[in-house]
């Protein structure tokens, strides 16, 4: 797993001197980061170090104050979230953002937006074609959910609000994956789960990644065991700055990192 | 719970429910004495509570969900039965047609608010636009009345387009305030506009479709005559059924899902490529179109319209129907409209306090049953569909 990629020739995602401040708070400071194709990058750092903000700026929820983001060789710094998604980046949210009154299937289809036919005429009157699209989408969504939890795949038309947190996290990841993004951003996917559930979720993520030809993942995660096991490389943030980058072993041994964690926890 | 493959839920609970409601409504509409009305109301409420207590409502719901095709025939059939019973009673038939016209308008509001989350407190204004369009077109042109009804919808949709920019630019309560302002403005505009009859209002020609004059009584035999309002009941029944079918199609498509997604979480839907205003605009336009068509038919039925028909209070009635019925559920709209329109007509003592009554109903519903009398079910794109 630990394919060492220190010099990245053609990164999938690259940020240069990325900055973001909220009033007086500097959430990201001159962050330069490159993510290689097909790697799993762990983004770690104490609470409030800017990890979520990094995702929010990359996905266009917040405009960057300075710097640039390049995805797939294309400048996406100024793109709105819609454009970022269409370019091939999908994400999950730290605080789960599923639509609770909707079914599992509906929630996953939200993530499939760019692959579904959106014309009014098609949707209202070409019901046979719509049905084909619906059945295909159902089959794909079901297959994806089954990787994470086969019993859940038999409950696709149940409301999400009745499900436990682990299932919600799984569905959120499926929602992000269904459109076949090139880059998946996972913001603390195991938050609120037990140790065993976390282990299982990570296995599932690895399994999905293996089954998809071209998928790069950035994962924000607190549990160091998880980081060690699934990431190829890590970047550590503290007060919005990257203080260290490298394999888990390198990062864990770094005195700055130890200080950042000890100093705050 | 969900039936297993091949096992269809029974028709009977649904049919019995429809028959029960029809009989109840017939008695309710017939009875004149205020005491009788009050007794019936208490009796009806008790029956609903008992039916809920013993699972009868749940069985009706299953039956409605699983045997949709049959229910879609049974409910209009019950309306026709009602018409037969009251075939000479102008007042009651006018009331029945009014209920169905307001249902159609509320369906429009459901697309806007229930589906896409766009608050519209200008329902009465859009209804009014439909009405005045019909008045002007029937008076000044020889346009086929079918097209006049369509034109009512188109005008409402177009004028709604003017509101779109400020409504979508502002968030939440502010956009609601804009629609309120529009309602007030609309009424004032009518009052000062002499070409539109000013405060006195306008006469509107009766509906005439291909030589079928809706304002003539229907002579069945030498002795039996149907009230001319029968015509309007039929026309409004057709309109509400079309609206119903349209709403369902919309709900059971990606468009319905898009509107839900946009209403429930703008940030998440933006991160999955949703053009949020596109779906809000679609919902607002389509909703106003339905409201405007309902208005055009309403005007032709009333024969006379004036600015006082389109007050902010009337907008509130439409909104309270949507809240009461079950936000986003067309069957809920049917039930709520019937309650909201019929009740004050029969209970004369509350006529003056009708807004108080609506307000109380809405508050009680929001407190104790926030999803409405008939909560919206989960989306089934193809009812009865089973994965292979
Ligand atoms: N929308 C916002 N408005 C104001 N401050 C914010 C906002 N989002 C994040 N911040 C601030 O930016 C800093 C980084 O936050 P965040 O990116 O959420 O950290 P992390 O995800 O690493 O825990 C924190 O100090 C936080 O308070
Ligand atoms: Mg965070």
């Amino acid at each position: 797993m630990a394919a060492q990629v220190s010099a990245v020739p053609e990164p999938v995602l690259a940020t240069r001197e990325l900055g973001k401040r909220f009033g007086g708070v500097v959430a990201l400071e001159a962050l330069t980061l490159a993510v290689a194709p097909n790697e799993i990058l762990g983004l770690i750092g104490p609470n409030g170090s800017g990890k979520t903000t990094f995702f929010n700026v990359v996905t266009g929820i917040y405009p960057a104050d300075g710097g640039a983001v390049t995805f797939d060789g294309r400048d996406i710094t100024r793109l709105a979230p819609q454009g970022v998604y269409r370019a091939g980046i999908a994400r999950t949210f730290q605080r789960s953002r599923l639509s609770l009154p909707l079914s599992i299937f509906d929630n996953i289809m939200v993530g499939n937006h760019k692959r579904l036919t959106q014309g009014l005429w098609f949707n209202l009157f070409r019901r046979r074609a719509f049905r084909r699209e619906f059945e295909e989408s159902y089959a794909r969504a079901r297959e994806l959910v089954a990787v994470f939890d086969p019993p859940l795949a038999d409950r696709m038309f149940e409301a999400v609000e009745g499900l436990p947190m682990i299932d919600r996290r799984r569905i959120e990841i499926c929602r992000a994956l269904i459109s076949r993004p090139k880059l998946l951003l996972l913001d603390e996917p195991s938050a609120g789960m037990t140790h065993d559930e976390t282990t299982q979720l990570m296995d599932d993520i690895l399994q999905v990644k293996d089954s998809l030809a071209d998928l790069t993942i950035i994962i924000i995660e607190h549990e160091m065991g998880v980081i060690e096991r699934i990431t190829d490389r890590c970047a550590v943030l503290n007060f919005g700055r990257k203080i260290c980058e490298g394999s888990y072993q390198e990062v864990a041994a770094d005195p700055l990192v130890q200080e950042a964690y000890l100093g705050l926890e | 719970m969900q039936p297993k493959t091949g096992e269809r839920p029974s028709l009977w609970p649904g049919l019995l429910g429809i028959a029960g409601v029809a009989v109840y409504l017939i008695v309710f509409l017939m009875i004149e004495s205020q005491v009788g009305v009050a007794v019936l109301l208490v009796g009806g409420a008790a029956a609903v509570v008992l039916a809920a207590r013993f699972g009868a409502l749940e069985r009706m719901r299953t039956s409605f969900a699983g045997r949709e095709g049959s229910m879609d025939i049974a409910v209009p059939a019950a309306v026709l039965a009602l018409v037969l019973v009251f075939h000479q009673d102008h007042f009651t038939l006018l009331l029945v047609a009014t209920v169905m016209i307001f249902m159609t308008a509320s369906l429009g509001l459901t697309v806007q608010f229930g589906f896409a989350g766009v608050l519209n407190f200008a329902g009465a204004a859009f209804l009014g636009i439909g009405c005045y369009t019909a008045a002007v077109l029937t008076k000044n042109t020889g346009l086929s009345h079918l097209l006049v009804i369509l034109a009512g919808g188109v005008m409402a949709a177009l004028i709604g387009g003017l509101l779109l920019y400020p409504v979508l630019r502002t968030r939440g309560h502010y956009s609601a305030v804009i629609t309120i302002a529009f309602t007030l403005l609309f009424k004032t505009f009518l009052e000062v506009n002499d070409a539109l009859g000013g405060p006195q209002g306008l006469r509107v020609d009766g509906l005439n479709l291909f030589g079928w004059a809706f304002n003539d009584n229907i002579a069945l035999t030498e002795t039996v005559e149907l009230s001319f309002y029968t015509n309007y009941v039929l026309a409004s029944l057709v309109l509400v059924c079309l609206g119903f079918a349209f709403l369902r199609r919309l709900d059971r498509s990606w468009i319905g899902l898009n509107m839900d997604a946009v209403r429930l979480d703008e940030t998440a839907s933006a991160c999955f490529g949703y053009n949020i205003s596109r779906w809000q605009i679609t919902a607002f336009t389509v909703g106003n179109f339905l409201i405007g068509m309902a208005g055009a038919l309403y005007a032709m039925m009333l024969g006379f319209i004036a600015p006082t028909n389109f007050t902010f209070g009337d907008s509130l009635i439409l909104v309270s129907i949507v809240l009461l019925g079950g936000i986003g559920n067309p069957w809920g709209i049917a039930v709520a409209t019937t309650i909201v329109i019929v009740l004050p007509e029969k209970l004369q003592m509350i006529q003056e306090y009708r807004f108080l009554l609506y307000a109380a109903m809405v508050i009680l519903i929001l407190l104790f049953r926030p999803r409405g009398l008939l909560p919206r079910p989960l989306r089934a794109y193809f009812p009865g569909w089973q994965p292979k």
Side-chain angles (χ1 to χ4, degrees):
Chain A
M1 246 301 94
Q4 195 62 41
V5 209
S6 35
V8 186
E10 190 62 56
V12 177
L13 183 85
T15 66
R16 187 173 42 77
E17 304 272 307
L18 201 61
K20 179 73 204 170
R21 42 172 61 234
F22 296 103
V25 179
V26 181
L28 287 181
E29 192 177 356
L31 186 67
T32 300
L33 191 68
V35 189
N38 290 313
E39 80 169 327
I40 300 184
L41 177 82
L43 194 58
I44 58 183
N47 271 330
S49 57
K51 307 180 296 293
T52 298
T53 303
F54 176 71
F55 280 8
N56 286 342
V57 171
V58 167
T59 54
I61 292 181
Y62 298 139
D65 295 333
V69 185
T70 324
F71 176 66
D72 233 3
R74 178 178 159 210
D75 183 4
I76 61 161
T77 319
R78 302 263 159 262
L79 282 190
Q82 287 86 348
V84 175
Y85 163 78
R86 283 185 191 279
I89 301 180
R91 66 173 291 180
T92 68
F93 297 88
Q94 182 171 353
R95 268 192 57 232
S96 169
R97 291 196 89 121
L98 292 172
S99 293
L100 297 184
L102 302 185
S103 66
I104 298 176
F105 176 73
D106 278 1
N107 269 286
I108 295 176
M109 282 308 108
V110 167
N112 209 19
H113 189 64
K114 69 176 170 188
R115 299 165 65 110
L116 299 175
T117 311
Q118 302 298 349
L120 208 54
W121 185 260
F122 172 87
N123 274 273
L124 291 179
F125 300 113
R126 297 197 45 215
R127 291 301 276 184
R128 205 164 306 158
F130 176 83
R131 188 178 183 123
R132 267 200 306 280
E133 192 169 289
F134 162 75
E135 284 176 343
E136 282 165 23
S137 312
Y138 171 78
R140 282 185 355 102
R142 194 197 139 86
E143 199 184 334
L144 192 56
V145 173
V147 173
F148 288 85
D149 187 37
L152 200 60
D154 292 329
R155 300 163 59 192
M156 295 289 277
F157 293 96
E158 282 181 29
V160 165
E161 60 199 338
L163 299 177
M165 191 44 89
I166 177 163
D167 286 338
R168 294 189 191 180
R169 293 283 179 192
R170 288 165 166 154
I171 294 162
E172 226 188 324
I173 296 171
C174 292
R175 177 174 74 173
L177 281 173
I178 191 81
S179 63
R180 291 280 176 85
K182 279 192 150 169
L183 175 64
L184 174 66
L185 307 177
L186 298 172
D187 196 345
E188 300 196 25
S190 72
M193 290 192 201
T194 66
H195 180 77
D196 288 347
E197 287 172 341
T198 306
T199 311
Q200 207 203 329
L201 184 72
M202 296 306 152
D203 287 342
D204 298 337
I205 292 173
L206 289 177
Q207 191 188 334
V208 173
K209 184 173 174 341
D210 284 342
S211 71
L212 299 176
D214 182 21
L215 180 67
T216 310
I217 299 178
I218 306 180
I219 179 170
I220 298 176
E221 180 56 59
H222 276 303
E223 220 175 296
M224 287 306 143
V226 169
I227 291 290
E228 177 170 18
R229 194 158 66 85
I230 80 163
T231 62
D232 301 309
R233 223 157 46 88
C234 296
V236 189
L237 300 189
N238 195 21
F239 294 114
R241 306 175 58 162
K242 184 173 80 182
I243 55 172
C244 183
E245 190 177 356
S247 73
Y248 175 77
Q249 282 73 20
E250 289 165 7
V251 160
D254 191 292
L256 270 178
V257 175
Q258 288 173 354
E259 187 188 325
Y261 273 88
L262 290 177
L264 270 148
E265 275 168 27
Chain B
M1 281 281 97
Q2 285 293 319
K4 294 270 177 306
T5 320
E7 218 180 280
R8 295 179 77 193
S10 166
L11 262 178
W12 294 111
L15 291 184
L16 287 175
I18 294 171
V21 171
V23 169
Y24 179 84
L25 267 178
I26 288 171
V27 177
F28 190 82
L29 289 169
M30 271 181 175
I31 219 154
E32 299 284 342
S33 109
Q34 292 295 292
V35 179
V37 168
V39 169
L40 261 186
L41 275 180
V42 174
V48 170
V49 170
L50 281 180
R53 181 82 185 70
F54 292 105
L57 284 191
E58 180 54 28
R59 282 163 66 190
M60 277 182 225
R61 198 194 59 73
T62 318
S63 177
F64 261 79
R67 305 299 292 266
E68 205 172 79
S70 312
M71 299 303 146
D72 290 350
I73 296 170
V75 174
V79 176
L80 292 180
L82 207 79
V83 172
L84 282 185
V85 173
F86 293 103
H87 62 275
Q88 284 178 322
D89 181 345
H90 288 326
F91 171 80
T92 302
L93 291 178
L94 171 64
L95 186 60
V96 172
T98 306
V99 167
M100 288 191 290
I101 286 169
F102 272 76
M103 262 181 216
T104 312
S106 306
L107 290 177
L109 219 60
T110 296
V111 178
Q112 300 175 334
F113 177 59
F115 290 3
V118 181
L119 262 173
N120 180 2
F121 283 102
F126 290 110
L127 197 72
I129 292 169
C131 286
Y132 274 86
T133 306
V136 170
L137 286 181
T138 53
K139 194 166 132 200
N140 302 316
T141 71
L143 201 62
S144 155
H145 284 184
L146 212 52
L147 293 180
V148 169
I149 292 179
L150 277 178
V154 171
M155 272 307 273
L158 285 179
I159 295 180
L162 297 179
L163 265 191
L164 271 172
Y165 186 76
V167 164
L168 297 186
R169 274 291 121 158
T170 48
R171 287 273 151 262
H173 308 307
Y174 297 103
S175 69
V177 170
I178 289 169
T179 61
I180 293 173
F182 180 71
T183 314
L184 303 177
L185 213 75
F186 178 72
K187 182 161 173 276
T188 314
F189 168 78
L190 293 178
E191 278 165 355
V192 300
N193 193 320
D194 286 333
L196 293 177
Q200 273 73 48
L202 282 180
R203 262 191 42 76
V204 192
D205 288 351
L207 186 59
N208 187 321
L209 286 183
F210 317 111
W212 171 16
F214 275 54
N215 283 22
D216 295 344
N217 288 345
I218 310 168
L220 276 190
T221 64
E222 291 284 312
T223 46
V224 183
E225 243 192 2
L226 303 187
S227 154
F228 71 93
Y229 280 119
T230 310
N231 296 317
Y232 286 103
V233 173
L234 295 180
S236 51
L237 181 63
V238 169
L239 188 65
V240 77
C241 286
L242 287 176
F244 218 90
F246 171 76
L247 217 72
R248 249 191 207 162
R249 274 284 172 89
L250 196 73
D251 185 33
R252 293 169 181 178
S253 73
W254 305 136
I255 313 272
L257 173 62
N258 295 344
M259 291 179 180
D260 277 344
V262 163
R263 178 187 81 247
L264 291 165
D265 192 335
E266 288 195 8
T267 305
S269 41
C271 285
F272 291 106
Y274 283 81
N275 178 344
I276 290 159
S277 25
R278 175 179 171 191
W279 303 113
Q280 290 175 331
I281 290 172
T282 306
F284 198 63
T285 307
V286 157
N288 287 335
F289 179 71
L290 276 177
I291 301 174
M293 285 205 297
L297 180 60
Y298 192 41
M300 291 195 261
M301 178 175 80
L302 292 180
F304 182 80
I305 51 171
T308 46
N309 297 63
F310 313 108
T311 61
F312 178 55
D314 297 287
S315 289
L316 282 183
I317 293 179
L318 288 172
V319 173
S320 57
I321 288 172
V322 174
L323 291 177
L324 194 66
I327 303 161
N329 182 3
W331 286 120
I333 295 297
V335 172
T337 317
T338 310
I339 295 175
V340 166
I341 303 290
V342 172
L343 211 54
E345 291 300 333
K346 292 303 285 188
L347 264 185
Q348 274 116 25
M349 55 187 181
I350 64 162
Q351 275 255 355
E352 290 185 28
Y353 304 103
R354 57 197 290 169
F355 286 111
L356 196 67
L357 177 82
Y358 297 146
M361 280 199 293
V362 167
I363 290 170
L364 286 177
I365 277 289
L366 290 181
L367 276 179
F368 296 109
R369 227 180 138 85
R371 287 191 177 186
L373 289 175
L374 301 181
R376 181 178 179 187
L378 285 173
R379 185 185 333 277
Y381 292 84
F382 296 94
W385 181 85
Q386 296 283 344
K388 287 179 205 86

